[in-house]
């Protein structure tokens, strides 16, 4: 192949390919020309061209999440790599292997008045697993360290900064080299736990056990062990749709909805003795508040994570093994606990679900109703991507649907990259429908997600146009201030314009009947080759009222 | 006024207002509610609502640049403030007083699994004047330090991180307080220079003096002293349009064009003995290459700057005083140098200008021609904003126009925020026409610049749609690779769609006659209340050929 004459860059590409990297997102520049040439020339790398680096990095995050393989991004020097920062932070807190390859000037030209030059070293230091500089074949050790952090647990983003001297466009002919694959590190095992006996004793003696499952990609091992353990009457299991745990009858799937039915003076009954926290972020703020106020006697945080979080402020004991290993072990322990703690929770979950259904049958067209209509019609093998802010919170109120996988940027929960992440994801699973539900603010914020030619009709985007600021429907504060106009910031922007700009199909619905028709078209018609956007227009003031009444109704019904 | 019940935030706002801050750009969130309430409630603060934080910070940069006053931005916690980073870096390298006020969680909730939470402390440390935490009235010293860095030379961006405990929406009634204005620091004076005699001697003994003027906002003091000094035949003065120095006959205004007419074997003649560098960044790469190869015996870098740059790699002596103080002193020194160094440069500048004009009269419609047509018709009291990449380089080839002020993000020269910076600038000078020339890639990159309701018809945007990647017309490398398709990345996006999305007026021109008509409409019709976009469509392959021939033609004519 005709590739760059920078030998260390040819080596880098061979090294990454040999270690399983398949996709690189290129944001064109001149300084990163050697990388562009080497990646594009290599037969085993698929390159994707995205100009906006903020978008590019969120694409990579989505692709890495979809494939469970590291995905690389490469950009020129200067502010280009600062645009990667939001996605790098999200990848850090969600533990997604994102590899940033930033081109740089040689060190002696930094801060000397050359264009597109900043101090790039350690620029992500607040939210990166490791940062490296790689400028020649003699820097080998750095590459190996970087890859090790990328492929071993806990995974996360890694930054390699690459200074280049001009000339940048030199070419040479050379062959692909297959390099040795780097060995994986051993992950900690159950039998390495020194205090296993002690944990067993706590387990046996805790009458009220709670397992709370944060964000996690679908994994039958997780679902299986949680189903088994849910038969233990002393165990209550709380999951969210982003936990991707299958819908078993004894598991509580809708934390916020369930908690809406629990009165202030009953809360103590729902306090666990033993709290086991597994997986990533939890969406529900209410459960965090409850468990921080009614702390468990023992809290275990299980898993091999980048950060030791004590989310429930209860002096969590950190157990660095794969959670299913521990749960599988505990499920086999003989115990006859005198407890109905699991049923107590599940019963409330069930009552709230019934109240939910009654309430839904009474309400007019509104944000809340829209979600029900979507969930009634969405094909049950789709991936559902939820934008942040109000969308992900509305989705928590509905039972998860069997067969649907739920995704959302819940690492840092920013409003910034939801469309790009979903779009990137859709590129890696071409044969599946990827449905993104987004608010209007997040849609416009990240409209550059659609500025490329690769996207196909397996990406369907539902934009809920409620005039902006829907998240403040969930918060009581803003209406009490004189600044409601700022918080509920109306946006006059036109969704259809974005569709014209980036060649997207456009549908619109403003009432229940139109929405049913357009959801049918969106999900089941396939005459397009580009993504389709369905804009749903609702009334902001109605939405807030209906949501507030929803929580009141559930509370009353359970009273 | 009804304002936040966080007293230290009321104090912060009074403090900023008392010290000259007038504008705050708000990106709504919940964590920054106390700031939103306090700024919006204050009668002497003008708030601007912008959702996309990347855009918001570039707006603030443009507004601060236009008003020479600090402008603040405020956002919620998490990735929000990472989106400010590109503009913060640009502000740092361009020395613009940008104040970032980021809301944060209380410290004990960082890295504990709460949403929208990252380690915010020192997150900009590679490109910020100073970073502060301010959480109560007892932190007073921090506010004063922050302001001092914002209002004293050298100016630049400052970050104040503000942790808030819930509840966030508390309100109280209180009055505006006028606080004491903070005193300015003394700036270094000429008579404080210990080696002034020595500098005078070097000045007197240097037969070939060169003053190179980087980016600088219009300032009659600069123009006046440079005009005076240009009468000295031993002095050659090189400026760019971004130097905003008036068009005096003995000053060379078009460095790249002039250098195109100098042959390799003559370069030595053009080498200065004494090089004086003032102002910010220089666009021309050719002059940097020349002066690095033919180093001056003495180089002075004059000015009170954040970074001590030795751009020309000639062991620059740093002189930390206002450049005009030194130049005014030198111009009065009696000397009768036997030198025509100034004329030598000016003569070449003149020859190249003549060749330029002959060449321009021969070429068809193309990027190069488009710039001439724009400059022929632009009203001569406009502000001209040049996007980065190819636009700013094309503009360097044309004589600066008297009365026009030239602006561009040349601190880091990123492609990312040109539209937002120009748009922000236009908000602060409502009575002047602000014309932005942009390539298509930078236009789409930053299309969220137009996503707000404040912009008026004093903003006119010219988008040169050449299919993308025009910068690579200036670089010989890409066509020699197999990756030309990546570098000259075509974009199929539709400019008119962005206009529909954000309610912008749209004009289009595809040939010389259409362009003349639409430039007339763009510049001289005023029936709109929103910005107008003029899209100019040119042919990529023609553009590259015509530009290459341009430089060849100038070289031949001077041979």
């Amino acid at each position: 192949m005709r590739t760059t004459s920078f030998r260390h860059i040819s080596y880098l590409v061979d090294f990454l390919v040999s270690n399983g990297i398949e996709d690189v997102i290129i944001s064109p520049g001149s300084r990163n020309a050697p990388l562009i040439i080497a990646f594009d020339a290599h037969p085993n790398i698929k390159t994707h061209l995205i100009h906006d680096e903020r978008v590019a990095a969120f694409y990579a995050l989505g692709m890495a999440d979809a494939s469970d393989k590291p995905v690389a991004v490469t950009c020129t020097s200067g502010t280009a790599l600062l645009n990667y920062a939001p996605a790098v932070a999200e990848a850090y807190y969600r533990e997604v292997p994102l590899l940033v390859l930033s081109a740089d000037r040689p060190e002696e030209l930094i801060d000397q008045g050359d264009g597109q030059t900043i101090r790039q070293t350690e620029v992500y230091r607040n939210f990166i697993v490791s940062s490296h500089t790689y400028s020649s074949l003699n820097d080998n050790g750095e590459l190996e360290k970087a890859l090790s952090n990328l492929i071993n647990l806990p995974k996360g983003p890694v930054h390699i900064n690459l200074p280049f001297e001009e000339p940048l466009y030199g070419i040479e002919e050379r062959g692909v080299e297959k390099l040795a694959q780097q060995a994986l590190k051993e992950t900690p095992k159950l039998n390495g736990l020194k205090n296993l006996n002690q944990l067993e004793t706590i387990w046996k003696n805790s009458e009220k056990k709670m397992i709370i499952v944060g964000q996690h990609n679908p994994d039958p091992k997780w679902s299986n062990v949680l189903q088994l353990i849910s038969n233990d009457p002393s165990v209550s299991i709380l999951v969210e749709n982003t936990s991707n745990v299958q819908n078993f009858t004894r598991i509580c799937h809708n934390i916020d909805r369930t908690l809406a039915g629990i009165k202030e003076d009953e809360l103590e009954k729902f306090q666990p003795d033993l709290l086991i926290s597994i997986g990533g972020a939890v969406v529900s703020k209410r459960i965090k508040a409850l468990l921080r106020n009614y702390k468990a006697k023992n809290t275990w945080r299980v898993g091999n994570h980048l950060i030791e979080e004590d989310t429930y402020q209860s002096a969590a004991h950190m157990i660095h093994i794969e959670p299913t290993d521990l749960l599988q072990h505990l499920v086999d322990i003989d115990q006859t606990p005198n407890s109905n703690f699991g049923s107590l929770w599940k019963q409330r979950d069930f009552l709230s679900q019934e109240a939910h259904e009654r309430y839904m049958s009474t309400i007019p067209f509104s944000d809340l109703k829209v979600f029900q209509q979507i969930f009634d019609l969405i094909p049950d093998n789709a991936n559902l991507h939820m934008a942040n802010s109000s969308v992900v919170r509305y989705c928590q109120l509905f039972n998860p649907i069997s067969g649907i996988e739920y995704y959302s940027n819940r690492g840092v929960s920013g409003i910034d990259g939801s469309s790009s992440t979903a779009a990137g994801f859709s590129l890696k699973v071409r044969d599946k429908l990827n449905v993104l539900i987004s608010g209007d603010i997040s849609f416009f914020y990240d409209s550059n997600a659609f500025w490329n030619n690769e996207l196909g009709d397996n990406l369907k985007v539902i934009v809920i146009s409620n005039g902006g600021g829907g998240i403040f429907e969930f918060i009581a504060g803003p209406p009490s201030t004189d600044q409601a106009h700022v918080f509920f910031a109306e946006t006059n922007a036109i969704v259809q314009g974005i569709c014209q700009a980036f060649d997207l199909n456009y549908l619109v619905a403003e009432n229940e009947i139109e929405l049913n028709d357009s959801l049918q078209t969106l999900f089941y018609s396939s005459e397009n080759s580009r993504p389709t956007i369905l804009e749903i227009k609702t009334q902001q003031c109605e939405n807030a009222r209906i949501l507030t009444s929803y929580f009141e109704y559930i509370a009353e019904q359970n009273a």
Side-chain angles (χ1 to χ4, degrees), chain A:
Chain A
M1 59 191 169
R2 265 164 53 85
T3 188
T4 178
S5 54
F6 286 94
R7 295 264 161 97
H8 72 292
I9 297 305
S10 298
Y11 180 85
L12 167 78
V13 176
D14 282 334
F15 180 75
L16 294 178
V17 168
S18 302
N19 281 285
I21 287 181
E22 298 170 350
D23 293 277
V24 175
I25 300 182
I26 291 174
S27 299
S30 193
R31 191 59 48 174
N32 62 337
L35 289 156
I36 295 174
I37 294 166
F39 281 123
D40 192 69
H42 202 288
N44 302 335
I45 284 278
K46 189 157 166 42
T47 56
H48 311 268
L49 180 71
I50 293 182
H51 292 285
D52 184 337
E53 285 91 0
R54 180 169 73 186
V55 169
F58 277 112
Y59 260 71
L61 178 82
M63 293 171 82
D65 199 30
S67 62
D68 201 25
K69 283 186 179 161
V71 172
V73 288
T74 176
C75 67
T76 191
S77 59
T79 55
L81 67 158
L82 301 181
N83 283 287
Y84 284 159
V88 173
E90 176 64 23
Y92 182 76
Y93 284 94
R94 199 132 63 79
E95 302 181 349
V96 177
L98 173 63
L99 176 61
V100 175
L101 302 169
S102 59
D104 199 357
R105 315 248 153 189
E107 205 188 332
E108 63 274 16
L109 289 179
I110 312 297
D111 283 350
Q112 299 304 333
D114 269 24
Q116 299 198 318
T117 306
I118 62 168
R119 296 171 211 140
Q120 299 188 179
T121 313
E122 299 270 350
V123 78
Y124 309 119
R125 79 190 94 183
N126 284 23
F127 41 83
I128 194 95
V129 178
S130 61
S131 305
H132 308 267
T133 299
Y134 176 66
S135 60
S136 78
L137 275 171
N138 303 328
D139 291 342
N140 261 346
E142 283 302 306
L143 268 196
E144 278 156 24
K145 274 183 252 167
L147 187 81
S148 173
N149 288 327
L150 210 56
I151 60 175
N152 286 300
L153 289 176
K155 296 179 182 179
V158 168
H159 176 204
I160 306 179
N161 194 45
L162 301 115
F164 291 107
E165 304 257 9
E166 297 183 24
L168 301 165
Y169 294 90
I171 295 291
E172 68 173 21
E173 183 67 40
R174 70 191 285 291
V176 170
E177 263 191 71
K178 175 95 187 123
L179 303 174
Q181 217 170 322
Q182 201 161 308
L184 282 173
K185 276 189 199 157
E186 289 251 324
T187 51
K189 290 276 178 299
L190 184 71
N191 54 24
L193 276 186
K194 286 192 191 119
N195 59 348
L196 188 56
N197 286 344
Q198 201 186 330
L199 299 181
E200 288 169 357
T201 308
I202 293 172
W203 175 259
K204 276 190 230 169
N205 294 338
S206 300
E207 287 188 1
K208 301 171 175 184
K209 310 184 185 79
M210 178 184 284
I211 301 173
I212 184 160
V213 187
Q215 181 165 27
H216 199 259
N217 283 1
D219 183 340
K221 262 173 69 187
W222 282 52
S223 286
N224 292 345
V225 74
L226 287 166
Q227 183 183 18
L228 273 179
I229 225 163
S230 73
N231 295 322
D232 182 333
S234 68
V235 179
S236 124
I237 300 178
L238 271 52
V239 307
E240 297 183 318
N241 53 23
T242 43
S243 318
N244 288 299
V245 169
Q246 281 176 54
N247 202 346
F248 300 116
T249 47
R250 291 185 46 84
I251 293 180
C252 299
H253 288 270
N254 298 78
I255 301 176
D256 278 353
R257 194 176 74 186
T258 305
L259 288 179
I262 300 179
K263 288 195 294 289
E264 197 68 38
D265 60 7
E266 309 178 284
L267 285 172
E268 215 176 328
K269 283 200 288 183
F270 293 85
Q271 174 178 26
D273 303 331
L274 170 62
L275 174 63
I276 303 179
S277 152
I278 65 175
V282 167
V283 177
S284 170
K285 290 183 186 178
R286 291 176 186 230
I287 192 67
K288 288 180 204 166
L290 185 148
L291 294 170
R292 285 169 185 177
N293 281 329
Y294 297 89
K295 295 185 202 298
K297 217 177 301 164
N298 290 289
T299 299
W300 301 345
R301 171 73 180 141
V302 191
N304 203 346
H305 293 288
L306 281 175
I307 298 173
E308 306 218 323
E309 291 176 351
D310 182 18
T311 302
Y312 307 102
Q313 299 171 359
S314 47
H317 171 59
M318 305 294 163
I319 304 177
H320 297 113
I321 63 168
E322 162 60 28
T324 49
D325 287 353
L326 181 64
L327 295 180
Q328 192 63 59
H329 178 78
L330 296 175
V331 94
D332 295 335
I333 292 179
D334 191 33
Q335 55 156 356
T336 48
N338 177 17
S339 166
N340 66 349
F341 188 67
S343 312
L344 180 77
W345 271 94
K346 189 59 204 177
Q347 187 191 27
R348 286 309 172 99
D349 179 42
F350 188 70
L351 288 174
S352 292
Q353 182 181 339
E354 285 191 324
H356 167 100
E357 278 157 21
R358 281 195 302 278
Y359 184 79
M360 291 305 298
S361 68
T362 68
I363 59 168
F365 191 66
S366 58
D367 280 0
L368 186 60
K369 186 76 171 188
V370 159
F371 282 91
Q372 187 189 37
Q373 287 190 261
I374 295 170
F375 294 136
D376 283 349
L377 283 174
I378 191 169
D380 64 7
N381 59 348
N383 295 328
L384 180 65
H385 302 271
M386 298 170 288
N388 271 315
S389 214
S390 58
V391 167
V392 70
R393 296 199 180 277
Y394 270 111
C395 290
Q396 299 307 316
L397 306 177
F398 295 83
N399 288 355
I401 299 164
S402 251
I404 296 236
E405 300 181 2
Y406 291 82
Y407 296 98
S408 187
N409 279 344
R410 296 306 297 178
V412 190
S413 306
I415 202 179
D416 36 15
S418 297
S419 300
S420 294
T421 309
F425 201 108
S426 79
L427 290 183
K428 287 302 281 184
V429 283
R430 289 277 188 182
D431 55 337
K432 278 192 84 170
L433 199 64
N434 285 269
V435 178
L436 165 67
I437 311 179
S438 173
D440 42 8
I441 302 289
S442 28
F443 176 77
F444 286 107
Y445 199 112
D446 193 22
S447 63
N448 276 351
F450 307 103
W451 179 25
N452 71 73
N453 305 325
E454 278 196 63
L455 296 174
D457 61 357
N458 69 325
L459 178 62
K460 310 286 185 184
V461 182
I462 296 171
V463 182
I464 300 183
S465 276
N466 49 19
I471 185 61
F472 294 106
E473 294 160 16
F474 284 87
I475 300 174
S480 68
T481 69
D482 298 336
Q483 284 69 41
H485 64 286
V486 181
F487 295 109
F488 287 97
E490 288 205 16
T491 168
N492 299 329
I494 308 292
V495 171
Q496 200 169 4
I498 300 299
C499 296
Q500 188 194 352
F502 303 125
D503 187 20
L504 310 169
N505 307 294
Y506 177 73
L507 298 170
V508 62
E510 301 194 41
N511 59 49
E512 208 171 319
I513 293 167
E514 283 177 13
L515 180 55
N516 257 308
D517 288 352
S518 38
L519 284 170
Q520 292 284 357
T521 309
L522 185 76
F523 292 140
Y524 299 101
S525 107
S526 60
E527 49 203 289
N528 306 307
S529 61
R530 288 280 292 164
T532 300
I533 311 287
L534 164 58
E535 181 180 16
I536 305 174
K537 296 185 179 176
T538 65
Q539 297 300 318
Q540 199 178 68
C541 49
E542 275 291 276
N543 293 329
R545 187 186 61 74
I546 287 167
L547 187 70
T548 310
S549 305
Y550 171 86
F551 285 112
E552 287 166 2
Y553 183 86
I554 289 181
E556 281 163 24
Q557 295 288 304
N558 289 0

